[in-house]
Amino acid sequence: MDNTLGEFLRSRRAAIQPEDVGLPPYGRRRVPGLRREEVAQLAGVSVDYYIRLEQGRGKNVSDAVLDAVARVLRLDATEHAHLLALARPAHGTAPAPAPAHGGVRPGVQLLLDRMADCPAMVLDHRMNVLAWNALGDALHGFAAEPLRRNMPRLVFLDPQAPELFPDWAAVAADTVSYLRLGAGRHPDDAALTALVGELSLGSEAFRRLWADHLVREKTYGVKRINHPVAGELRLSYETLALPGEPSRTLVAYTAPPGSPSADRLALLASWSAPPRGVRP
């Protein structure tokens, strides 16, 4: 039986050393991190209760207990929310199926198209690329390469991905952390479960990262992209939740004015612009 909650708790428990929480590091430990008895003691619950929680049998666990466990395991805000989602799965609330390109509101697509100087796209919680603008297509090739319309497939199943992303290891870890977060929020999403299975079969790196149970919001940052025509681009990205559609986000890339990346992005924009008199 699936016990993602227990796997998550064990992974976070293994990351905390006794001295991190004021305990003496006495005795030889068979596994790294805190023992279950130590977590229970520090959280103020019985050992039996905490063991049942790790076994996925903590039915109707209180907020107070989950908050105490989160404090002991030093979970950040995203991890804490993930713990709550795993402990109280929102069954019956699976999101609508992801549409193909053009499946966003007309106003959202118009907004993307108006962002002519910025590569931009809309992602769902499965990291499907639902829509994009011309420069976003020029950067990633969504129209020509259907595989690239799902970012995890691009990162883990496209053999060109390590060349496309010079910081591939970091990109891979961020991708899995965000996908793991989506899986916790949408436990009944069969399409997401199938995607995880496909990636697990196709990539040993994905299997290893998925087993780490790391979760992270994808909010903002910097990504290096080695474009086959424009060369290496160092781009900042911002991720914005769409109003009324919390499982969909708009991701936009920018480069500092006057930087080499800005110049290369401008060249890419000029190459991808349609001829005059031709609608994009």
Side-chain angles (χ1 to χ4, degrees):
M1 295 180 61
D2 176 71
N3 184 17
T4 306
L5 172 61
E7 293 171 1
F8 176 67
L9 288 172
R10 285 191 290 273
S11 72
R12 298 305 90 212
R13 176 162 60 86
I16 303 295
Q17 299 306 312
E19 52 268 31
D20 294 337
V21 292
L23 294 176
Y26 58 83
R28 185 175 181 180
R29 293 175 180 264
R30 293 179 296 174
V31 294
L34 294 178
R35 299 185 176 101
R36 291 179 296 185
E37 295 81 2
E38 292 167 336
V39 175
Q41 176 188 353
L42 292 169
V45 299
S46 70
V47 175
D48 179 66
Y49 188 90
Y50 180 76
I51 290 175
R52 285 190 285 117
L53 187 62
E54 277 203 2
Q55 292 174 340
R57 298 188 293 121
K59 188 176 181 180
N60 299 321
V61 58
S62 69
D63 286 346
V65 168
L66 293 174
D67 291 346
V69 170
R71 172 181 51 79
V72 172
L73 298 181
R74 296 192 166 188
L75 303 186
D76 61 24
T78 300
E79 293 169 327
H80 193 167
H82 185 63
L83 173 63
L84 294 174
L86 294 178
R88 300 190 181 91
H91 293 294
T93 60
H101 174 44
V104 296
R105 299 193 308 270
V108 175
Q109 185 63 58
L110 180 60
L111 177 61
L112 290 172
D113 293 337
R114 292 294 185 182
M115 300 169 67
D117 297 332
C118 302
M121 56 190 171
V122 172
L123 303 178
D124 66 8
H125 64 284
R126 307 179 194 112
M127 303 186 78
N128 288 313
V129 184
L130 306 182
W132 55 84
N133 63 8
L135 194 50
D137 188 28
L139 183 64
H140 282 303
F142 296 131
E145 299 289 344
L147 176 68
R148 296 192 170 196
R149 297 178 201 173
N150 177 269
M151 299 308 290
R153 288 192 182 101
L154 168 60
V155 172
F156 290 100
L157 302 183
D158 189 330
Q160 297 178 348
E163 181 179 351
L164 178 64
F165 301 113
D167 303 313
W168 183 87
V171 171
D174 287 346
T175 299
V176 173
S177 296
Y178 185 74
L179 199 64
R180 172 66 81 174
L181 194 62
R185 292 170 175 169
H186 304 282
D188 291 338
D189 187 345
L192 179 53
T193 300
L195 175 62
V196 171
E198 176 189 351
L199 295 168
S200 297
L201 288 173
S203 171
E204 188 278 332
F206 179 86
R207 293 194 299 273
R208 174 176 49 79
L209 289 168
W210 188 255
D212 288 341
H213 285 269
L214 297 179
V215 291
R216 187 179 299 118
E217 288 280 10
K218 193 175 182 65
T219 51
Y220 63 91
V222 176
K223 182 177 288 186
R224 288 197 300 154
I225 298 174
N226 188 21
H227 192 271
V229 176
E232 184 174 305
L233 299 161
R234 182 179 177 85
L235 303 175
S236 299
Y237 66 84
E238 297 286 340
T239 302
L240 310 172
L242 292 181
E245 299 180 274
S247 65
R248 296 182 179 182
T249 56
L250 189 153
V251 182
Y253 293 92
T254 60
S259 66
S261 291
D263 294 340
R264 292 167 186 164
L265 201 58
L267 282 174
L268 189 60
S270 66
W271 293 332
S272 63
R276 290 193 176 188
V278 178
R279 295 184 62 185

